[in-house]
Amino acid sequence: MREEFLAALRDGYSQSRIIGRKILIYDLVTSTNDLALMLARQGECEGTVLFAAGQTNGRGRLGKKWVSPHGSGLYLSAILRPRLDLDQASFLTICAGVAMCKVLDGLGVENVSIRWPNDVCVRGRKICGILTEAEIRGRKMDHLVLGIGMNVNASCDELVEGATSIKEELGRKFDLTDLGAIILRELDQEYERLLSGRFLKILEDFRQWCDLCAGTRVKIAWADKELEGFVVEFDESGRILIRKDDGTVERVSAGHLTKIA
Ligand code: BT5
């Protein structure tokens, strides 16, 4: 493990400024995102993070399941109240993706990349998933829950096809508490950058980690819609800009993306 990460580990949670200033730890929950959304509605403060050892109903996007073997992964949700427009909520996913890439890279995991919008992969195998859920009051964002699932000590056979874990990549187990501290520190740093308006810096990092570049031909499917075209760029809300074959450019904030050779 690299030196700066060992230092982060020694400092533990104390470095957290916002994310992680209050930590709630559970054994088995349905979903840390469900619990965090409930607490956020009841007024829980910004920065509170919930960790669970296991989830019976870990969720991905659009009702998909997040497989959460008990005791061998990190399942956490942070309650955030950023002053952002609702359509900028997906930038939190970008931010968290960058933070998780930095964590994995710092541990020595090679070939880490972001599969837009919310998967962190190693050589195309998914190691971490991010689920950002925002709720509004009136026309403004009231709170947002940032959920992260990281496969740490699970073996491939405990996960799903196409998944991997830190243990599978590095050949050894990690202490979940230490890793939790490292994750909070990185998340907090990225969140700090976001709150201070350094969107472009975060986007710069995102482009470095993202497995897509301008000119890649892709197909994106969401709800009952699908479009195909060439990647142009990502905007400050984390949306992808696609130039369709008729020359028009469409912005998409989430969906299932497939690269077309
Ligand atoms: C995600 O959704 O990747 C977001 C996952 C977020 C999970 C965290 S855990 C803490 C918090 N509480 C929750 O309830 N959720 C969050 P999506 O892009 O829709 O991907 C879902 C797909 O990932 C599934 O359909 C599977 O194909 C795959 N998958 C499920 N479990 C996996 C795992 N443990 N590792 C890798 N891939 C997995």
Side-chain angles (χ1 to χ4, degrees), residues 29-35 50 52 55 57-69 74-77 115 117-120 125-133 145-151 154 158-165 255-256:
V29 299
T30 51
S31 149
T32 54
N33 262 40
D34 287 350
L35 210 51
L50 291 76
Q55 304 183 108
N57 190 29
R59 296 189 287 109
R61 295 170 303 156
L62 306 168
K64 286 190 252 170
K65 191 175 166 64
W66 183 257
V67 174
S68 315
L74 278 168
Y75 317 111
L76 63 129
S77 298
R115 189 163 60 195
N118 68 321
D119 294 346
V120 180
R125 300 174 76 87
K126 188 159 165 179
I127 196 164
C128 170
I130 299 161
L131 179 66
T132 306
E133 297 180 295
V145 165
L146 176 64
I148 297 180
M150 176 78 84
N151 300 327
E158 290 178 85
L159 300 169
V160 292
E161 180 83 30
T164 189
S165 69
H256 182 75

Side-chain angles (χ1 to χ4, degrees), residues 42-58:
Q42 292 168 1
E44 184 63 50
C45 65
E46 157 147 286
T48 298
V49 176
L50 291 76
F51 282 94
Q55 304 183 108
T56 54
N57 190 29

